[in-house]
Amino acid sequence: MRRWLPFAWLGLMVVQVQPGLASASTDAQSIGAGRGSATVYHVAQRARRGTRRQRGDRFRLGGSLTVGADEVVRGDVVVVGGRAIVQGEVRGSVTAVAGRLTLGPESEVDGDVTVVGGRFDRHPDARIGGDLNEVILGVADVDFHMPSVRWPSWSGMTRLPRFLGSVGRLLLLGFLVCLVVALAPGTVARVGDRAAATPWLAGFLGLTAQILFVPMVILTVVILVVSIIGIPFLLFVPLLLVGVALATLVGFAGVVQRSGRWVEGRLGASGSNRYRAAIVGLLAISSLVVAGRLIGVVGGIFALVAVVLMASGFVVEFVVWTVGVGALLLEAFGPRPAPAGPPPLPPDPSPPDPATPPPPRPLLPAPTSGPAQGVRPEEEPPPIPAPS
């Protein structure tokens, strides 16, 4: 019996220690599980950040640009005349010109945020690491909604407002053209003469200016925004646009007035009145559009004729505006025409004085020995016979 006592005591110790070991192993497993879950969470976070799409600088002219929540832009984001929606991370700066910028709840911008002449929407959880610059121009922030008007169901009545709109536009153009002619009659006349002298060159310059105008304005605005110090000069951009519009109207008035003088000359009108010439030229240029609108009111089989007239009228007006712009550029920056010299003097119609003797003929030397070769000797008179 004594031989089994040590074994019994050892078994009792094992039974007492086993619950502690079991609880210790359970605690260890729970601790390991907790550490493992935390590790898995951090690894998942790193993996989510690592799987984001990496992109460089992004630029958008018009339309919409979106930086997704799974996207990282390693550069700047610039939107001109459109909308920018940032839901992800931008390592550089974000700039919106004449558009709308929206920062979502998960957006992160490390650089500056600049909004010029647009609307800015920011979620409270959005993070901006740099400065926030907002320039309000007072024009782009206004939303204008035209009230809807329900016209009668007759198809002719639905086309009547378009005709009235064309007539109203013609009256407004006539007022503006007469105002420009009154304020700058000399400039308008010179522009018209330039257009008549070099119409093809003026048209080419005007078309080139129209093509390059919008890109140059956008490039100027972007440069001013990026340079930061040039942001205050953006306030002069609306003034620049107004000046360009006035200059274009001056060119249009010059071509209209010159066209009116040509029409008056063809009709045999007497007298010269700059206002009358401008009105006649404007009526001649806009007659196709107005006639097309008027025929379009009738509709039916005349619809095709109305479309052709209006399309032709739009082309004519576009050509007049384009030539006017080019003629104004030639007048402002082109070479000046050489001034006309004095007219040549007319020949003296008085006959020569008969009392004036003719100049003497030069004397020839007498031949020494016989007649010279190639020279015919003078004939001597025949001898007189002697009397018998």
Side-chain angles (χ1 to χ4, degrees):
M1 186 66 182
R2 293 179 179 179
R3 292 184 304 176
W4 296 101
L5 287 177
F7 295 100
W9 178 80
L10 180 61
L12 181 61
M13 293 295 295
V14 169
V15 171
Q16 292 178 356
V17 174
Q18 185 176 2
L21 293 176
S23 62
S25 63
T26 304
D27 295 340
Q29 290 178 1
S30 62
I31 294 174
R35 293 179 178 177
S37 61
T39 305
V40 169
Y41 174 76
H42 290 293
V43 170
Q45 286 291 101
R46 294 178 181 177
R48 189 175 67 86
R49 294 181 178 179
T51 55
R52 285 184 175 182
R53 292 179 296 171
Q54 306 286 333
R55 304 188 64 174
D57 296 333
R58 301 192 63 181
F59 175 79
R60 181 77 176 184
L61 177 60
S64 179
L65 186 149
T66 302
V67 179
D70 59 342
E71 185 176 354
V72 176
V73 177
R74 295 182 176 273
D76 300 331
V77 175
V78 179
V79 176
V80 179
R83 182 177 182 181
I85 303 175
V86 179
Q87 300 289 351
E89 182 179 357
V90 178
R91 301 290 176 82
S93 60
V94 177
T95 304
V97 180
R100 183 175 180 179
L101 175 61
T102 302
L103 298 182
E106 299 182 1
S107 60
E108 297 181 8
V109 180
D110 295 342
D112 300 334
V113 174
T114 304
V115 181
V116 180
R119 183 176 177 180
F120 177 53
D121 299 328
R122 178 185 179 182
H123 193 274
D125 296 336
R127 189 183 66 84
I128 300 177
D131 298 331
L132 176 60
N133 305 309
E134 290 188 75
V135 179
I136 301 176
L137 300 180
V139 178
D141 300 335
V142 179
D143 295 333
F144 178 77
H145 299 283
M146 187 70 181
S148 59
V149 180
R150 181 177 294 275
W151 297 93
S153 58
W154 182 44
S155 60
M157 292 298 295
T158 59
R159 302 185 185 96
L160 182 60
R162 299 178 182 178
F163 169 72
L164 297 178
S166 298
V167 174
R169 173 178 172 272
L170 178 62
L171 295 177
L172 179 60
L173 275 179
F175 171 74
L176 294 178
V177 167
C178 291
L179 182 62
V180 171
V181 170
L183 296 178
T187 303
V188 171
R190 290 192 299 269
V191 169
D193 295 338
R194 287 273 189 172
T198 56
W200 293 105
L201 179 58
F204 174 76
L205 290 178
L207 184 61
T208 304
Q210 293 179 18
I211 294 175
L212 297 180
F213 176 71
V214 175
M216 291 299 296
V217 171
I218 293 176
L219 181 61
T220 303
V221 171
V222 171
I223 291 176
L224 293 177
V225 170
V226 172
S227 61
I228 302 299
I229 60 175
I231 292 180
F233 294 97
L234 293 174
L235 300 176
F236 297 97
V237 173
L239 299 179
L240 174 64
L241 298 179
V242 172
V244 171
L246 293 178
T248 305
L249 184 60
V250 171
F252 178 76
V255 178
V256 164
Q257 187 183 49
R258 184 68 180 187
S259 302
R261 290 179 180 176
W262 180 84
V263 173
E264 289 180 346
R266 300 290 293 181
L267 297 178
S270 59
S272 176
N273 189 306
R274 58 176 181 265
Y275 300 104
R276 184 183 65 185
I279 295 299
V280 170
L282 183 61
L283 291 176
I285 292 171
S286 303
S287 59
L288 293 177
V289 175
V290 177
R293 292 295 189 187
L294 180 59
I295 297 176
V297 174
V298 180
I301 60 176
F302 300 101
L304 180 60
V305 179
V307 171
V308 172
L309 288 177
M310 287 187 293
S312 303
F314 288 140
V315 171
V316 171
E317 290 191 10
F318 175 76
V319 171
V320 171
W321 285 99
T322 303
V323 174
V325 172
L328 182 64
L329 292 176
L330 286 176
E331 177 63 24
F333 306 104
R336 298 292 179 183
L345 296 177
D348 189 7
S350 60
D353 189 5
T356 304
R361 297 177 61 185
L363 298 178
L364 299 176
T368 55
S369 59
Q373 185 177 2
V375 179
R376 185 178 180 181
E378 298 181 0
E379 296 182 357
E380 297 180 0
I384 302 174
S388 55

